[in-house]
Amino acid sequence: MVVPHHATGARLARHRLADELADVVPPTLLADLVAVLAELVGNAVRHADPLPGGVVRVAWRLRAAAGGPTVQLRVTDGGGASGPLMRIAAPDAADGRGLHIISGLASRWGVERDGLGQSVWAEFDPAGTTRSDLVVAG
């Protein structure tokens, strides 16, 4: 799906994901997916350039697995001056926690770059893959 490179893009993506997966994944997993997708799109809007046309591309892939569905979320944008970096946020800071949220909820996440921009992805594995396995490619 393609959403505007604007704050409304995160809302549109969250609602579409929730509508499409509500009857397919457990409610707790769906809540995690919605939270992480909102962070990924929000980060793309705040920290990266849009793709041509002023948009961000959002995708998800669901695969059946023995322990439950495996889901990958992917948000592709035009890239920014620097890639996503986890930082330490002060207790009273208004931002800086998004990648920590993603790392805490997803089994693993990473960044892939190419000549057109970057994709930030997060995977949810019911087998309990170790979290915080950042993978950077490109």
Side-chain angles (χ1 to χ4, degrees), residues 26-109:
T28 54
L29 175 57
L30 184 59
D32 289 351
L33 293 169
V34 168
V36 168
L37 186 62
E39 287 295 333
L40 291 174
V41 175
N43 285 349
V45 169
R46 279 188 298 280
H47 304 294
D49 294 327
L51 291 168
V55 299
V56 174
R57 190 171 44 233
V58 177
W60 48 86
R61 181 174 52 193
L62 179 70
R63 289 177 286 157
T70 298
V71 181
Q72 183 186 73
L73 304 175
R74 178 175 295 266
V75 173
T76 304
D77 55 48
S82 63
L85 296 171
M86 291 182 82
R87 51 186 190 166
I88 308 262
D92 59 344
D95 61 1
R97 295 174 185 83
L99 292 177
H100 291 280
I101 292 169
I102 292 166
S103 181
L105 295 176
S107 300
R108 63 190 201 125
W109 68 278

